[in-house]
Amino acid sequence: MKSSLDAIFSALSDPTRRAILGRLAHGKATVAELADPFELSQPAISKHLKVLEQAGLIRSGREATSRPRELEPDALKKISDWIGDYRRFWDQSFDRLDGYLSKVQGYEDDKSGD
Amino acid sequence: MKSSLDAIFSALSDPTRRAILGRLAHGKATVAELADPFELSQPAISKHLKVLEQAGLIRSGREATSRPRELEPDALKKISDWIGDYRRFWDQSFDRLDGYLSKVQGYEDDKSGD
DNA sequence: TGGCTATATAACCGTATAGATATATTGTTT
DNA sequence: AAACAATATATCTATACGGTTATATAGCCA
């Protein structure tokens, strides 16, 4: 489970994977159920699920012969926190900008937070 | 300026590009200034900037011979909104889960919001 | 055990991406 | 106009990615 910002953002850049997450927001689902809405092969879906799992966005269970997936929201929280550093850019007036800039230190901050 | 979720998430999946955004959170900067912290060629940085701009995350200006970049937070807001659909997974109790699930409809919702 | 079901893995292919170096473009300065 | 400075574009290379089909694995059931 990498769960780095690299892996998380990369996983989310694919619309199929975002759709899978959307489906999992409704609750646990099997691979077959997750594959159903798409015109993709089962192995393609399994690959997407692997990417999501390695990014820490979902987890696999085991129920008889199936391996149901469910959301693992920690990774989403991670990028939500990252975006939080920039939230003031659209949420608030630019007057207070200088006050918070010490929080956003670029490369090093980004790596340490990974 | 694509500004689709695909393009935004993809742009953010690279640590160099996130570092550039971090730098731009401090304020406008030239290409040379943005390139300075990295051991990358100038064309490599220009490419990264192009990716960020096409995702709608930054904009280019023109000042004499330089083309300073600055943040364009709309795209970040876009993914912040997307993540908002999942925020309850870590922010709140799971009791209210069923109540909001109608908001998260997966593939079609994702595409319409693009 | 043999066969069925659900899922994973392997091998392969075409396209995209990140980097490099070399060159072109555009504005400034003399 | 010529030279310089800042940046962009072209071309190339290596690797990653998303898809496919074929095959392997694991658990259940007759």
Side-chain angles (χ1 to χ4, degrees):
Chain A
M1 209 252 291
K2 274 169 67 185
S3 202
S4 71
L5 285 176
D6 282 26
I8 297 166
F9 279 125
S10 178
L12 293 177
S13 72
D14 184 283
T16 300
R17 288 192 289 259
R18 289 198 306 277
I20 288 172
L21 292 181
R23 171 64 213 274
L24 288 177
H26 293 259
K28 205 189 301 195
T30 67
V31 175
E33 286 164 348
L34 292 169
D36 190 56
F38 303 102
E39 294 188 343
L40 289 179
S41 64
Q42 169 264 313
I45 301 295
S46 280
K47 266 191 178 177
H48 281 305
L49 293 173
K50 194 172 194 176
V51 171
L52 288 168
E53 185 162 9
Q54 288 182 336
L57 286 157
I58 65 172
R59 62 193 307 172
S60 312
R62 165 69 83 173
E63 267 173 32
T65 171
S66 84
R67 294 166 167 89
R69 305 310 208 276
E70 56 188 324
L71 277 190
E72 177 76 87
D74 292 3
L76 278 172
K77 173 162 175 46
K78 216 163 190 171
I79 68 169
S80 176
D81 290 348
W82 181 86
I83 294 169
D85 290 341
Y86 298 85
R87 182 153 295 127
R88 288 172 184 76
F89 275 99
W90 66 83
D91 263 10
Q92 305 184 355
S93 80
F94 270 46
D95 301 327
R96 299 182 49 211
L97 203 59
D98 285 278
Y100 88 94
L101 281 179
S102 54
K103 274 198 64 179
V104 185
Q105 286 298 341
Y107 207 40
E108 288 312 304
D109 277 23
D110 180 71
K111 289 202 300 192
S112 71
D114 229 349
Chain B
M1 211 250 293
K2 274 168 69 184
S3 204
S4 70
L5 285 175
D6 282 26
I8 297 166
F9 279 124
S10 178
L12 293 177
S13 72
D14 184 282
T16 299
R17 288 193 289 259
R18 290 199 306 279
I20 288 173
L21 292 181
R23 170 63 212 274
L24 289 176
H26 293 260
K28 204 189 303 196
T30 67
V31 175
E33 286 165 347
L34 292 170
D36 190 55
F38 303 101
E39 294 188 342
L40 289 179
S41 65
Q42 169 264 313
I45 300 296
S46 281
K47 264 193 182 177
H48 281 306
L49 293 173
K50 195 172 194 176
V51 171
L52 287 169
E53 185 163 9
Q54 288 181 337
L57 286 158
I58 65 172
R59 62 194 307 174
S60 312
R62 166 70 84 173
E63 266 171 32
T65 171
S66 82
R67 294 165 166 89
R69 305 309 208 277
E70 57 188 323
L71 276 190
E72 177 76 87
D74 291 5
L76 278 173
K77 173 161 175 46
K78 216 163 190 171
I79 68 170
S80 175
D81 290 347
W82 181 87
I83 294 169
D85 290 342
Y86 297 86
R87 181 153 296 126
R88 289 172 184 76
F89 275 99
W90 66 82
D91 264 8
Q92 306 184 356
S93 81
F94 271 45
D95 300 328
R96 299 181 48 210
L97 201 59
D98 285 277
Y100 87 95
L101 280 180
S102 54
K103 273 197 67 180
V104 185
Q105 286 298 341
Y107 207 40
E108 288 313 303
D109 277 25
D110 181 72
K111 288 203 302 194
S112 71
D114 228 352

